[in-house]
Amino acid sequence: MPPTLANGKICYVEIPAADIALSAEFYGRVFGWNIRHRSDGSISFDDTTGEVSGSWVLDRSPTARPGLLVHVMVDSVAATLDAIAANGGEIVQPIGADAPEITARFRDPAGNVIGLYQQRG
């Protein structure tokens, strides 16, 4: 099924990286993102819904302190935190800080802080 095309939709994300292959492996393992190689050789991704795509960029500093904070929806924040720690990420905000919402924050291998969100119920 092709992605939804709509005015105002967030559709593409560029994530700062120090090592693109390492970042791609991390996000592929932790979130199950589809990692692909473009015809020019660059590495990009599609999220698990196929609705958001993006790539990693070397020419920007990581977002080490949240300003704009992107959250990734997951089935289980607790299980995802385990996967993050096992794959070289760091937990920077545990579950419970945004209660009653089920969220957490982590730092990826490049130093970006990203949020996690789990639907309640």
Side-chain angles (χ1 to χ4, degrees), residues 30-89:
V30 171
F31 298 111
W33 289 358
N34 176 45
I35 308 304
R36 56 189 166 83
H37 294 265
R38 294 184 179 148
S39 60
D40 67 359
S42 64
I43 299 174
S44 60
F45 66 85
D46 298 303
D47 74 354
T48 57
T49 68
E51 293 284 329
V52 179
S53 62
S55 61
W56 291 273
V57 294
L58 297 172
D59 61 347
R60 291 190 209 136
S61 299
T63 307
R65 293 186 332 176
L68 174 65
L69 182 61
V70 174
H71 286 74
V72 178
M73 183 174 278
V74 296
D75 292 333
S76 168
V77 170
T80 304
L81 291 175
D82 289 343
I84 287 165
N87 285 283

Short mmCIF file of all heavy atoms in Angstrom, two decimals, residues 30-89:
data_model
loop_
_atom_site.label_atom_id
_atom_site.label_comp_id
_atom_site.label_asym_id
_atom_site.label_seq_id
_atom_site.Cartn_x
_atom_site.Cartn_y
_atom_site.Cartn_z
N VAL A 30 16.47 -1.93 16.68
CA VAL A 30 15.60 -1.51 17.78
C VAL A 30 14.15 -1.36 17.33
O VAL A 30 13.23 -1.79 18.02
CB VAL A 30 16.12 -0.20 18.41
CG1 VAL A 30 15.11 0.37 19.41
CG2 VAL A 30 17.47 -0.44 19.10
N PHE A 31 13.91 -0.74 16.18
CA PHE A 31 12.55 -0.41 15.75
C PHE A 31 12.05 -1.23 14.57
O PHE A 31 10.88 -1.12 14.20
CB PHE A 31 12.44 1.08 15.41
CG PHE A 31 12.72 1.96 16.59
CD1 PHE A 31 13.86 2.74 16.63
CD2 PHE A 31 11.85 2.00 17.67
CE1 PHE A 31 14.12 3.55 17.72
CE2 PHE A 31 12.10 2.80 18.76
CZ PHE A 31 13.25 3.58 18.80
N GLY A 32 12.91 -2.02 13.94
CA GLY A 32 12.49 -2.80 12.79
C GLY A 32 12.28 -1.97 11.53
O GLY A 32 11.57 -2.37 10.63
N TRP A 33 12.94 -0.80 11.48
CA TRP A 33 12.83 0.05 10.29
C TRP A 33 13.45 -0.67 9.09
O TRP A 33 14.44 -1.38 9.22
CB TRP A 33 13.51 1.38 10.50
CG TRP A 33 12.81 2.30 11.46
CD1 TRP A 33 11.63 2.08 12.12
CD2 TRP A 33 13.26 3.58 11.88
NE1 TRP A 33 11.33 3.15 12.91
CE2 TRP A 33 12.31 4.08 12.79
CE3 TRP A 33 14.38 4.35 11.59
CZ2 TRP A 33 12.43 5.32 13.39
CZ3 TRP A 33 14.51 5.59 12.19
CH2 TRP A 33 13.55 6.07 13.08
N ASN A 34 12.88 -0.44 7.93
CA ASN A 34 13.41 -0.98 6.68
C ASN A 34 14.59 -0.11 6.25
O ASN A 34 14.41 1.06 5.92
CB ASN A 34 12.32 -0.97 5.60
CG ASN A 34 12.84 -1.44 4.28
OD1 ASN A 34 13.56 -2.43 4.19
ND2 ASN A 34 12.50 -0.72 3.23
N ILE A 35 15.77 -0.66 6.27
CA ILE A 35 16.98 0.06 5.88
C ILE A 35 17.23 -0.26 4.41
O ILE A 35 17.24 -1.43 4.02
CB ILE A 35 18.19 -0.37 6.74
CG1 ILE A 35 17.86 -0.25 8.23
CG2 ILE A 35 19.42 0.44 6.35
CD1 ILE A 35 17.39 1.11 8.71
N ARG A 36 17.42 0.76 3.62
CA ARG A 36 17.61 0.54 2.18
C ARG A 36 18.74 1.40 1.64
O ARG A 36 19.10 2.40 2.24
CB ARG A 36 16.32 0.77 1.41
CG ARG A 36 15.69 2.11 1.61
CD ARG A 36 14.30 2.18 0.97
NE ARG A 36 13.59 3.34 1.42
CZ ARG A 36 13.72 4.56 0.92
NH1 ARG A 36 14.56 4.79 -0.06
NH2 ARG A 36 13.02 5.57 1.41
N HIS A 37 19.28 0.97 0.52
CA HIS A 37 20.34 1.70 -0.16
C HIS A 37 19.76 2.34 -1.42
O HIS A 37 19.17 1.65 -2.25
CB HIS A 37 21.51 0.77 -0.53
CG HIS A 37 22.21 0.25 0.68
ND1 HIS A 37 23.34 0.84 1.19
CD2 HIS A 37 21.93 -0.79 1.48
CE1 HIS A 37 23.73 0.18 2.26
NE2 HIS A 37 22.88 -0.82 2.46
N ARG A 38 19.95 3.62 -1.55
CA ARG A 38 19.47 4.34 -2.73
C ARG A 38 20.42 4.09 -3.90
O ARG A 38 21.53 3.61 -3.73
CB ARG A 38 19.41 5.84 -2.43
CG ARG A 38 18.40 6.19 -1.39
CD ARG A 38 18.37 7.69 -1.25
NE ARG A 38 17.38 8.07 -0.27
CZ ARG A 38 17.49 9.12 0.50
NH1 ARG A 38 18.54 9.91 0.42
NH2 ARG A 38 16.55 9.41 1.36
N SER A 39 19.99 4.50 -5.07
CA SER A 39 20.80 4.29 -6.28
C SER A 39 22.13 5.04 -6.21
O SER A 39 23.10 4.64 -6.84
CB SER A 39 20.02 4.71 -7.53
OG SER A 39 19.66 6.07 -7.45
N ASP A 40 22.19 6.13 -5.40
CA ASP A 40 23.45 6.86 -5.26
C ASP A 40 24.35 6.28 -4.18
O ASP A 40 25.41 6.81 -3.89
CB ASP A 40 23.18 8.34 -5.00
CG ASP A 40 22.53 8.62 -3.64
OD1 ASP A 40 22.25 7.66 -2.88
OD2 ASP A 40 22.27 9.80 -3.35
N GLY A 41 23.91 5.17 -3.55
CA GLY A 41 24.70 4.51 -2.52
C GLY A 41 24.40 4.96 -1.10
O GLY A 41 24.87 4.33 -0.15
N SER A 42 23.63 6.03 -0.93
CA SER A 42 23.32 6.49 0.42
C SER A 42 22.33 5.55 1.09
O SER A 42 21.59 4.82 0.42
CB SER A 42 22.78 7.92 0.39
OG SER A 42 21.56 7.97 -0.30
N ILE A 43 22.35 5.55 2.42
CA ILE A 43 21.48 4.67 3.20
C ILE A 43 20.30 5.49 3.70
O ILE A 43 20.45 6.60 4.21
CB ILE A 43 22.25 4.07 4.40
CG1 ILE A 43 23.43 3.23 3.89
CG2 ILE A 43 21.32 3.23 5.27
CD1 ILE A 43 24.34 2.72 5.00
N SER A 44 19.11 4.93 3.55
CA SER A 44 17.90 5.59 4.03
C SER A 44 17.02 4.57 4.74
O SER A 44 17.36 3.40 4.84
CB SER A 44 17.16 6.24 2.86
OG SER A 44 16.79 5.27 1.92
N PHE A 45 15.88 5.04 5.24
CA PHE A 45 14.99 4.15 5.97
C PHE A 45 13.53 4.47 5.68
O PHE A 45 13.19 5.57 5.24
CB PHE A 45 15.23 4.23 7.49
CG PHE A 45 14.88 5.56 8.11
CD1 PHE A 45 13.58 5.85 8.50
CD2 PHE A 45 15.84 6.53 8.30
CE1 PHE A 45 13.26 7.07 9.06
CE2 PHE A 45 15.53 7.76 8.86
CZ PHE A 45 14.22 8.03 9.25
N ASP A 46 12.70 3.49 5.95
CA ASP A 46 11.24 3.65 5.99
C ASP A 46 10.83 3.11 7.35
O ASP A 46 11.31 2.06 7.79
CB ASP A 46 10.56 2.83 4.90
CG ASP A 46 10.97 3.27 3.52
OD1 ASP A 46 10.80 4.46 3.19
OD2 ASP A 46 11.49 2.43 2.77
N ASP A 47 9.91 3.82 8.02
CA ASP A 47 9.43 3.31 9.30
C ASP A 47 8.59 2.06 9.06
O ASP A 47 8.35 1.66 7.92
CB ASP A 47 8.69 4.39 10.09
CG ASP A 47 7.30 4.72 9.55
OD1 ASP A 47 6.90 4.21 8.49
OD2 ASP A 47 6.62 5.52 10.22
N THR A 48 8.11 1.44 10.12
CA THR A 48 7.40 0.17 9.99
C THR A 48 6.04 0.33 9.33
O THR A 48 5.47 -0.66 8.86
CB THR A 48 7.22 -0.52 11.35
OG1 THR A 48 6.53 0.38 12.23
CG2 THR A 48 8.56 -0.90 11.94
N THR A 49 5.51 1.55 9.26
CA THR A 49 4.22 1.77 8.59
C THR A 49 4.40 2.06 7.11
O THR A 49 3.44 2.04 6.36
CB THR A 49 3.46 2.95 9.22
OG1 THR A 49 4.15 4.17 8.92
CG2 THR A 49 3.29 2.78 10.72
N GLY A 50 5.62 2.40 6.70
CA GLY A 50 5.86 2.82 5.33
C GLY A 50 5.38 4.24 5.07
O GLY A 50 5.34 4.69 3.93
N GLU A 51 5.01 4.96 6.12
CA GLU A 51 4.47 6.31 5.99
C GLU A 51 5.54 7.40 6.15
O GLU A 51 5.37 8.50 5.66
CB GLU A 51 3.37 6.55 7.03
CG GLU A 51 2.12 5.73 6.81
CD GLU A 51 1.25 6.26 5.68
OE1 GLU A 51 1.24 7.49 5.46
OE2 GLU A 51 0.59 5.44 5.01
N VAL A 52 6.61 7.10 6.86
CA VAL A 52 7.67 8.09 7.09
C VAL A 52 8.99 7.48 6.62
O VAL A 52 9.30 6.34 6.93
CB VAL A 52 7.77 8.47 8.58
CG1 VAL A 52 8.90 9.46 8.82
CG2 VAL A 52 6.45 9.03 9.10
N SER A 53 9.73 8.26 5.88
CA SER A 53 11.06 7.82 5.44
C SER A 53 12.07 8.88 5.86
O SER A 53 11.72 9.93 6.36
CB SER A 53 11.09 7.59 3.93
OG SER A 53 10.82 8.80 3.24
N GLY A 54 13.32 8.56 5.64
CA GLY A 54 14.36 9.50 5.99
C GLY A 54 15.73 8.95 5.74
O GLY A 54 15.90 7.90 5.10
N SER A 55 16.71 9.66 6.25
CA SER A 55 18.10 9.25 6.09
C SER A 55 18.91 9.81 7.25
O SER A 55 18.43 10.58 8.06
CB SER A 55 18.65 9.76 4.76
OG SER A 55 18.61 11.17 4.71
N TRP A 56 20.16 9.39 7.29
CA TRP A 56 21.10 9.90 8.28
C TRP A 56 22.04 10.86 7.58
O TRP A 56 22.40 10.66 6.43
CB TRP A 56 21.87 8.74 8.92
CG TRP A 56 20.95 7.91 9.76
CD1 TRP A 56 20.64 8.11 11.07
CD2 TRP A 56 20.21 6.76 9.35
NE1 TRP A 56 19.74 7.16 11.49
CE2 TRP A 56 19.46 6.32 10.45
CE3 TRP A 56 20.10 6.06 8.15
CZ2 TRP A 56 18.62 5.22 10.41
CZ3 TRP A 56 19.26 4.96 8.09
CH2 TRP A 56 18.53 4.54 9.22
N VAL A 57 22.41 11.94 8.28
CA VAL A 57 23.28 12.96 7.70
C VAL A 57 24.51 13.16 8.57
O VAL A 57 24.43 13.09 9.79
CB VAL A 57 22.52 14.29 7.50
CG1 VAL A 57 21.43 14.13 6.45
CG2 VAL A 57 21.93 14.81 8.81
N LEU A 58 25.64 13.39 7.93
CA LEU A 58 26.90 13.56 8.64
C LEU A 58 27.25 15.01 8.93
O LEU A 58 28.10 15.28 9.75
CB LEU A 58 28.04 12.93 7.83
CG LEU A 58 27.94 11.42 7.61
CD1 LEU A 58 29.02 10.97 6.62
CD2 LEU A 58 28.06 10.68 8.93
N ASP A 59 26.60 15.94 8.26
CA ASP A 59 27.01 17.34 8.33
C ASP A 59 26.27 18.16 9.39
O ASP A 59 26.27 19.37 9.34
CB ASP A 59 26.85 17.99 6.96
CG ASP A 59 25.41 17.97 6.45
OD1 ASP A 59 24.57 17.24 7.03
OD2 ASP A 59 25.13 18.69 5.47
N ARG A 60 25.65 17.49 10.37
CA ARG A 60 24.94 18.20 11.44
C ARG A 60 25.29 17.62 12.80
O ARG A 60 25.53 16.41 12.92
CB ARG A 60 23.43 18.08 11.24
CG ARG A 60 22.97 18.84 10.05
CD ARG A 60 21.46 18.91 10.00
NE ARG A 60 21.14 19.01 8.58
CZ ARG A 60 20.19 18.35 7.98
NH1 ARG A 60 19.44 17.54 8.67
NH2 ARG A 60 19.98 18.50 6.70
N SER A 61 25.24 18.47 13.80
CA SER A 61 25.48 18.01 15.17
C SER A 61 24.25 17.25 15.67
O SER A 61 23.13 17.58 15.30
CB SER A 61 25.72 19.20 16.09
OG SER A 61 26.86 19.91 15.68
N PRO A 62 24.47 16.26 16.52
CA PRO A 62 23.34 15.54 17.09
C PRO A 62 22.49 16.46 17.96
O PRO A 62 22.97 17.46 18.48
CB PRO A 62 23.97 14.43 17.92
CG PRO A 62 25.37 14.84 18.14
CD PRO A 62 25.74 15.77 17.03
N THR A 63 21.23 16.10 18.09
CA THR A 63 20.30 16.83 18.95
C THR A 63 20.43 16.23 20.35
O THR A 63 19.67 15.34 20.72
CB THR A 63 18.87 16.71 18.41
OG1 THR A 63 18.88 17.11 17.04
CG2 THR A 63 17.91 17.58 19.19
N ALA A 64 21.41 16.70 21.09
CA ALA A 64 21.74 16.11 22.39
C ALA A 64 20.82 16.58 23.50
O ALA A 64 20.65 15.90 24.51
CB ALA A 64 23.19 16.42 22.75
N ARG A 65 20.24 17.76 23.33
CA ARG A 65 19.27 18.27 24.30
C ARG A 65 17.98 18.56 23.56
O ARG A 65 17.99 19.25 22.53
CB ARG A 65 19.77 19.56 24.96
CG ARG A 65 20.98 19.31 25.84
CD ARG A 65 21.39 20.54 26.58
NE ARG A 65 21.02 21.76 25.85
CZ ARG A 65 21.20 22.98 26.30
NH1 ARG A 65 21.74 23.17 27.45
NH2 ARG A 65 20.86 24.03 25.59
N PRO A 66 16.86 18.04 24.05
CA PRO A 66 15.61 18.22 23.33
C PRO A 66 15.23 19.69 23.15
O PRO A 66 15.24 20.46 24.09
CB PRO A 66 14.57 17.51 24.19
CG PRO A 66 15.35 16.55 25.01
CD PRO A 66 16.69 17.20 25.23
N GLY A 67 14.96 20.04 21.93
CA GLY A 67 14.29 21.27 21.55
C GLY A 67 13.04 20.73 20.88
O GLY A 67 12.05 20.43 21.53
N LEU A 68 13.13 20.48 19.59
CA LEU A 68 12.12 19.70 18.90
C LEU A 68 12.39 18.25 19.29
O LEU A 68 13.50 17.75 19.13
CB LEU A 68 12.26 19.87 17.39
CG LEU A 68 11.37 18.99 16.52
CD1 LEU A 68 9.90 19.35 16.73
CD2 LEU A 68 11.76 19.12 15.07
N LEU A 69 11.39 17.58 19.82
CA LEU A 69 11.58 16.20 20.27
C LEU A 69 10.66 15.27 19.49
O LEU A 69 9.44 15.42 19.54
CB LEU A 69 11.30 16.08 21.77
CG LEU A 69 11.49 14.71 22.40
CD1 LEU A 69 12.92 14.23 22.27
CD2 LEU A 69 11.06 14.73 23.86
N VAL A 70 11.23 14.36 18.77
CA VAL A 70 10.49 13.37 18.00
C VAL A 70 10.30 12.14 18.89
O VAL A 70 11.24 11.70 19.55
CB VAL A 70 11.26 12.99 16.72
CG1 VAL A 70 10.57 11.85 15.99
CG2 VAL A 70 11.41 14.21 15.83
N HIS A 71 9.09 11.58 18.87
CA HIS A 71 8.80 10.34 19.58
C HIS A 71 8.50 9.24 18.58
O HIS A 71 7.84 9.47 17.58
CB HIS A 71 7.58 10.50 20.49
CG HIS A 71 7.85 11.30 21.73
ND1 HIS A 71 8.01 12.66 21.71
CD2 HIS A 71 8.00 10.91 23.00
CE1 HIS A 71 8.25 13.08 22.94
NE2 HIS A 71 8.25 12.04 23.74
N VAL A 72 8.97 8.04 18.88
CA VAL A 72 8.69 6.86 18.07
C VAL A 72 7.65 6.04 18.83
O VAL A 72 7.85 5.73 20.02
CB VAL A 72 9.96 6.02 17.83
CG1 VAL A 72 9.63 4.76 17.03
CG2 VAL A 72 11.02 6.85 17.13
N MET A 73 6.54 5.71 18.18
CA MET A 73 5.51 4.89 18.80
C MET A 73 5.98 3.44 18.83
O MET A 73 6.49 2.92 17.83
CB MET A 73 4.19 5.00 18.04
CG MET A 73 3.06 4.22 18.68
SD MET A 73 1.48 4.51 17.86
CE MET A 73 1.02 6.05 18.63
N VAL A 74 5.82 2.81 19.99
CA VAL A 74 6.24 1.41 20.16
C VAL A 74 5.14 0.64 20.88
O VAL A 74 4.29 1.21 21.56
CB VAL A 74 7.57 1.32 20.96
CG1 VAL A 74 8.71 1.97 20.19
CG2 VAL A 74 7.44 1.94 22.34
N ASP A 75 5.17 -0.68 20.73
CA ASP A 75 4.21 -1.54 21.43
C ASP A 75 4.48 -1.56 22.92
O ASP A 75 3.55 -1.62 23.73
CB ASP A 75 4.26 -2.97 20.89
CG ASP A 75 3.76 -3.07 19.46
OD1 ASP A 75 2.93 -2.24 19.04
OD2 ASP A 75 4.21 -3.99 18.75
N SER A 76 5.76 -1.54 23.30
CA SER A 76 6.15 -1.59 24.71
C SER A 76 7.39 -0.72 24.93
O SER A 76 8.47 -1.04 24.41
CB SER A 76 6.47 -3.04 25.11
OG SER A 76 7.11 -3.08 26.38
N VAL A 77 7.22 0.35 25.70
CA VAL A 77 8.37 1.19 26.01
C VAL A 77 9.41 0.39 26.79
O VAL A 77 10.60 0.48 26.52
CB VAL A 77 7.95 2.47 26.76
CG1 VAL A 77 9.17 3.22 27.29
CG2 VAL A 77 7.13 3.39 25.85
N ALA A 78 8.96 -0.42 27.74
CA ALA A 78 9.91 -1.19 28.56
C ALA A 78 10.76 -2.13 27.70
O ALA A 78 11.99 -2.16 27.85
CB ALA A 78 9.15 -1.99 29.62
N ALA A 79 10.14 -2.87 26.80
CA ALA A 79 10.89 -3.79 25.94
C ALA A 79 11.81 -3.02 25.00
O ALA A 79 12.93 -3.45 24.72
CB ALA A 79 9.92 -4.66 25.14
N THR A 80 11.36 -1.86 24.52
CA THR A 80 12.19 -1.07 23.62
C THR A 80 13.40 -0.50 24.34
O THR A 80 14.49 -0.45 23.79
CB THR A 80 11.36 0.06 22.97
OG1 THR A 80 10.22 -0.54 22.31
CG2 THR A 80 12.17 0.85 21.97
N LEU A 81 13.23 -0.09 25.60
CA LEU A 81 14.38 0.39 26.38
C LEU A 81 15.42 -0.72 26.53
O LEU A 81 16.63 -0.45 26.44
CB LEU A 81 13.93 0.90 27.75
CG LEU A 81 13.12 2.19 27.75
CD1 LEU A 81 12.63 2.51 29.16
CD2 LEU A 81 13.92 3.35 27.17
N ASP A 82 14.97 -1.95 26.73
CA ASP A 82 15.91 -3.08 26.80
C ASP A 82 16.67 -3.23 25.48
O ASP A 82 17.89 -3.43 25.48
CB ASP A 82 15.18 -4.38 27.12
CG ASP A 82 14.65 -4.44 28.55
OD1 ASP A 82 15.10 -3.64 29.40
OD2 ASP A 82 13.76 -5.29 28.81
N ALA A 83 15.96 -3.12 24.35
CA ALA A 83 16.60 -3.24 23.04
C ALA A 83 17.57 -2.09 22.79
O ALA A 83 18.64 -2.29 22.21
CB ALA A 83 15.54 -3.29 21.95
N ILE A 84 17.20 -0.91 23.23
CA ILE A 84 18.08 0.25 23.07
C ILE A 84 19.39 0.02 23.82
O ILE A 84 20.47 0.21 23.27
CB ILE A 84 17.36 1.54 23.54
CG1 ILE A 84 16.30 1.93 22.52
CG2 ILE A 84 18.35 2.67 23.79
CD1 ILE A 84 15.29 2.95 23.02
N ALA A 85 19.29 -0.37 25.08
CA ALA A 85 20.48 -0.60 25.89
C ALA A 85 21.34 -1.73 25.30
O ALA A 85 22.56 -1.64 25.30
CB ALA A 85 20.08 -0.93 27.33
N ALA A 86 20.71 -2.75 24.76
CA ALA A 86 21.43 -3.89 24.20
C ALA A 86 22.12 -3.55 22.87
O ALA A 86 23.02 -4.27 22.45
CB ALA A 86 20.49 -5.07 24.00
N ASN A 87 21.70 -2.45 22.24
CA ASN A 87 22.24 -2.11 20.93
C ASN A 87 23.04 -0.81 20.91
O ASN A 87 23.24 -0.21 19.85
CB ASN A 87 21.10 -2.05 19.91
CG ASN A 87 20.62 -3.42 19.53
OD1 ASN A 87 21.27 -4.10 18.74
ND2 ASN A 87 19.50 -3.85 20.09
N GLY A 88 23.51 -0.38 22.08
CA GLY A 88 24.42 0.76 22.13
C GLY A 88 23.80 2.10 22.42
O GLY A 88 24.48 3.12 22.38
N GLY A 89 22.50 2.14 22.74
CA GLY A 89 21.87 3.39 23.12
C GLY A 89 21.93 3.59 24.62
O GLY A 89 22.35 2.71 25.36
#
